[in-house]
């Protein structure tokens, strides 16, 4: 009589459906018993190697086991690997065989997984999923390395080395460090790594001048930003120095850098530019940088609409008129950029594709949507009226509407400050200025002239004296 534990392991033959404790042959992911093996697999010449072998009678192109094993893995495509499973699609190597298993529940958390295993460190012999098996691994609280962890008794989880040895002197600098760090402490490691990466990057230069500059920059970066910052970011600045080498062979003056990289490019390489400035290699020009930034924005605005569209033609004509004024010195480049920004905004508000020019209705809708652009867009409205023949005119200013918008803005600002928990002198002064503008309709310039000297608190609020006039405002809600 077959024992119960053996009956539990019985398998069903794919051909006769009888149970057996062991398959004689597996083919295409299914197995057969000994009786069916003799009838299903008959000796004949293998089409792959030519040797006589038992091959499946229903598959004329079937090959022998040796030829089957030489096929690449159906999952990873590698050849010559140990076979872990024969699937209906071909052999799977030992590393990929587990992906063809049926998911089974983890015996700890119950989650389905194809990667169940036993881990003796868990203290039991149940099969667990990778997540449950990995609970004994993690980042050591002392050395910050991913290791097998143990409870230290003080609430921390430490690796065995840190738990047994604690702190030891660093072999390089002599300062105490967690024993799990190994050969060097964290600071020494990042210094070593930064120097190593700098030496690797230096090999990319052909000009010794730029290579030396790059080494000086790496040393400056380590001193000012720390070894860790230097080791993690030094590779990031290599393309900037390589482009300098390709273009000039050495570091040029600031104007040539600005012309080549642009203000945005230099801003993305802020630390190298700061190093060049501190070492005296370049002298930044703030006005040139702002002008370059404005020119770049103007170029972007001119590419906003197709050149053959109505909006593109109108914007190009307006740009030429403004450019002549800038060249003559009658207009600043920044004013030109602001005027073009408003013009492009009006055209985009009218039609995103630039097919139609704005009419009076579109102009009024745009000013209602963006009232702050009224002065900036006035020049473009005049250009459309004179050059394009568009019947446009700026609507009259609505003082009541402007005052209402200003009060809504001030009210929202006051409510935001009332919700703030922070209490500082700067916050108190800002509250006073905003409250004076909201409750007494004082101009911003007058409200901003308030200082702590002319503010007198009382029980119910604050009294502010400005030009020998007294104004009362309530205090912030959190100070009442």
């Amino acid at each position: 009589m077959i024992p119960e534990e053996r009956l539990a392991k019985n398998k069903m033959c794919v051909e006769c459906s009888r149970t057996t404790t062991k398959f004689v042959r597996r083919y295409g992911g299914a197995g057969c018993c000994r009786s069916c093996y003799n009838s299903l697999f008959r000796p004949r010449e293998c089409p792959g190697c030519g040797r006589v072998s038992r091959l499946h009678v229903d598959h004329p192109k079937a090959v022998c086991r040796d030829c089957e094993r030489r096929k690449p893995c159906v999952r990873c495509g590698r050849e010559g690997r140990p076979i872990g499973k024969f699937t209906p699609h071909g052999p799977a190597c030992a590393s990929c065989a587990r992906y063809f298993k049926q998911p089974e529940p983890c015996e700890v958390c119950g989650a389905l997984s194809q990667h169940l295993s036993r881990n003796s460190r868990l203290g039991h012999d149940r099969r667990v999923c990778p997540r449950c098996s990995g609970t004994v691994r993690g980042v050591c609280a002392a050395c910050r390395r991913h290791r097998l962890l143990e409870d230290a008794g003080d609430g921390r989880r430490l690796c065995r080395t840190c738990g047994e040895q604690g702190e030891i002197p660093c072999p390089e600098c002599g300062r105490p460090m967690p024993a799990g760090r190994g050969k060097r402490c964290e600071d020494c490691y990042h210094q070593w790594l930064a120097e190593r990466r700098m030496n690797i990057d230096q090999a990319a230069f052909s000009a010794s001048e730029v290579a030396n500059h790059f080494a000086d920059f790496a040393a400056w970066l380590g001193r000012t930003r720390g070894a860790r910052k230097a080791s993690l970011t030094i590779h990031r600045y290599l393309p900037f120095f390589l482009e300098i080498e390709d273009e000039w062979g050495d570091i040029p003056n600031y104007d040539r850098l600005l012309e080549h990289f642009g203000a945005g490019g230099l801003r993305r390489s802020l630390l190298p530019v700061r190093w060049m400035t501190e070492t005296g290699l370049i002298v930044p020009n703030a006005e040139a940088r702002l002008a370059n930034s404005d020119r770049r924005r103007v170029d972007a605005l001119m590419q906003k609409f197709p050149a053959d569209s109505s909006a593109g033609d109108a914007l190009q004509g307006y740009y030429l008129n403004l450019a002549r004024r800038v060249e003559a010195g009658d207009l600043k480049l920044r004013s030109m950029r602001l005027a073009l920004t408003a013009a492009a905004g009006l055209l985009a508000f009218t039609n995103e594709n630039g097919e139609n020019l704005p009419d009076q209705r579109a102009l009024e809708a745009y000013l209602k949507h963006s009232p702050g652009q009224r002065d900036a867009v006035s020049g473009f409205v005049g250009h459309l009226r004179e050059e394009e023949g568009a019947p446009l005119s700026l609507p009259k200013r609505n003082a009541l509407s402007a005052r209402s918008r200003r009060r809504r803005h001030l009210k929202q600002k006051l409510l935001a400050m009332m919700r703030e928990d922070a209490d500082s002198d700067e916050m108190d002064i800002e509250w006073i200025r905003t409250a004076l503008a909201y409750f007494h309709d004082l101009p911003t310039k007058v409200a901003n002239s308030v200082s702590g000297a002319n503010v007198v608190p009382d029980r119910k609020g604050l009294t502010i004296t400005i030009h020998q006039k007294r104004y009362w405002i309530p205090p912030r809600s959190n100070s009442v």
Side-chain angles (χ1 to χ4, degrees):
M1 192 171 179
I2 301 176
E4 292 184 3
E5 58 270 13
R6 289 195 62 188
L7 284 174
K9 297 180 180 180
N10 283 350
K11 304 171 183 179
M12 182 178 293
C13 174
V14 69
E15 183 68 17
C16 64
S17 300
R18 289 182 296 184
T19 57
T20 179
T21 58
K22 183 178 181 180
F23 288 141
V24 178
R25 176 71 185 270
R26 289 180 180 271
Y27 187 80
C32 64
C33 64
R34 182 173 296 277
S35 300
C36 297
Y37 172 72
N38 295 326
S39 60
L40 286 177
F41 294 86
R42 297 292 180 86
R44 73 170 188 266
E45 186 175 320
C46 173
C49 62
R51 293 183 300 177
V52 177
S53 180
R54 281 184 173 272
L55 305 178
H56 204 287
V57 295
D58 296 334
H59 297 89
K61 297 183 179 180
V63 295
C64 64
R65 297 297 294 270
D66 292 337
C67 292
E68 193 77 23
R69 289 189 179 94
R70 284 193 289 269
K71 290 182 180 180
C73 173
V74 295
R75 182 176 181 272
C76 66
R78 293 181 291 182
E79 299 180 357
R81 302 276 298 176
I83 301 300
K85 184 179 182 64
F86 285 98
T87 71
H89 312 288
C93 67
S95 300
C96 298
R98 59 181 180 175
Y99 293 98
F100 295 91
K101 294 180 180 179
Q102 290 295 329
E104 298 180 71
C106 171
E107 296 180 5
V108 172
C109 68
L112 293 178
S113 175
Q114 295 173 309
H115 315 304
L116 299 183
S117 62
R118 292 180 174 87
N119 190 338
S120 59
R121 294 181 178 273
L122 295 177
H124 56 75
D125 61 348
R126 288 176 289 179
R127 297 194 305 162
V128 296
C129 63
R131 178 175 295 182
C132 295
S133 179
T135 54
V136 296
R137 301 186 67 91
V139 178
C140 174
C143 65
R144 311 304 300 169
R145 299 290 180 87
H146 194 268
R147 296 286 187 268
L148 291 171
L149 302 181
E150 300 174 352
D151 291 329
D154 56 357
R156 297 184 302 166
R157 291 175 61 80
L158 305 177
C159 64
R160 178 176 295 181
T161 305
C162 291
E164 293 177 354
Q165 302 182 27
E167 290 189 344
I168 60 173
C170 173
E172 295 189 4
C173 66
R175 291 178 294 183
M177 71 170 190
R181 290 294 309 177
K183 297 180 180 179
R184 51 181 69 90
C185 65
E186 188 170 2
D187 289 341
C188 292
Y189 166 75
H190 284 295
Q191 290 175 5
W192 166 82
L193 183 61
E195 184 175 356
R196 181 171 179 267
R197 289 179 173 176
M198 184 270 294
N199 292 332
I200 293 174
D201 290 343
Q202 268 194 310
F205 296 100
S206 56
S208 59
E209 294 83 0
V210 183
N212 293 334
H213 285 316
F214 184 79
D216 294 340
F217 166 70
W220 174 87
L221 186 64
R223 291 194 305 270
T224 58
R225 296 297 186 271
R228 185 175 185 274
K229 172 77 172 179
S231 65
L232 295 176
T233 62
I234 189 62
H235 285 325
R236 184 187 306 169
Y237 306 108
L238 177 62
F240 177 74
F241 283 88
L242 286 176
E243 193 166 349
I244 288 177
E245 181 189 46
D246 294 340
E247 189 70 21
W248 300 287
D250 200 352
I251 296 178
N253 58 36
Y254 181 79
D255 293 337
R256 297 174 71 183
L257 282 174
L258 183 63
E259 182 182 357
H260 180 77
F261 291 100
L266 294 182
R267 193 179 300 113
R268 286 189 292 271
S269 302
L270 180 62
L271 288 180
V273 173
R274 185 171 295 174
W275 165 76
M276 295 177 190
T277 304
E278 292 185 6
T279 54
L281 293 172
I282 60 173
V283 179
N285 187 337
E287 293 184 3
R289 183 177 67 250
L290 293 175
N292 181 274
S293 179
D294 287 333
R295 280 194 295 270
R296 178 175 54 84
R297 294 183 183 181
V298 167
D299 293 340
L301 287 171
M302 298 309 298
Q303 301 297 324
K304 196 168 184 179
F305 301 100
D308 56 350
S309 63
S310 300
D313 291 340
L315 192 63
Q316 180 68 23
Y318 187 49
Y319 165 77
L320 294 176
N321 289 341
L322 295 177
R324 284 192 290 268
R325 295 178 59 191
V326 171
E327 188 175 357
D330 298 333
L331 187 69
K332 293 183 179 180
L333 183 60
R334 170 150 294 192
S335 299
M336 174 184 177
R337 192 254 298 173
L338 294 174
L340 287 173
T341 300
L346 173 59
L347 293 172
F349 186 84
T350 303
N351 191 300
E352 292 185 359
N353 298 325
E355 298 175 354
N356 303 319
L357 293 178
D359 54 13
Q360 186 66 28
R361 184 176 180 180
L363 174 61
E364 293 178 0
Y366 174 72
L367 291 178
K368 186 176 181 180
H369 179 266
S370 304
Q373 295 289 347
R374 176 188 173 87
D375 293 337
V377 83
S378 60
F380 184 58
V381 171
H383 172 80
L384 290 178
R385 185 170 54 246
E386 296 172 4
E387 302 295 335
E388 304 293 339
L392 295 178
S393 61
L394 285 175
K396 294 182 178 180
R397 294 181 183 272
N398 190 335
L400 184 61
S401 177
R403 183 173 181 274
S404 177
R405 286 195 302 270
R406 179 172 184 260
R407 286 185 59 80
R408 282 199 303 269
H409 171 71
L410 293 172
K411 181 180 180 180
Q412 293 174 358
K413 191 174 180 180
L414 287 173
L415 291 175
M417 284 191 287
M418 290 172 66
R419 298 188 190 101
E420 284 284 341
D421 294 331
D423 193 8
S424 62
D425 295 339
E426 292 80 6
M427 181 70 73
D428 294 338
I429 292 296
E430 187 65 23
W431 168 266
I432 292 172
R433 293 171 177 173
T434 308
L436 285 173
Y438 178 75
F439 291 107
H440 299 282
D441 203 19
L442 292 181
T444 304
K445 185 177 180 180
V446 176
N448 289 344
S449 64
V450 175
S451 62
N454 48 8
V455 178
V456 179
D458 57 29
R459 287 186 178 181
K460 297 182 180 179
L462 303 171
T463 301
I464 298 94
T465 303
I466 302 177
H467 301 316
Q468 299 180 354
K469 290 185 178 181
R470 293 184 178 182
Y471 302 92
W472 181 90
I473 61 171
R476 285 177 60 199
S477 58
N478 62 350
S479 61
V480 174

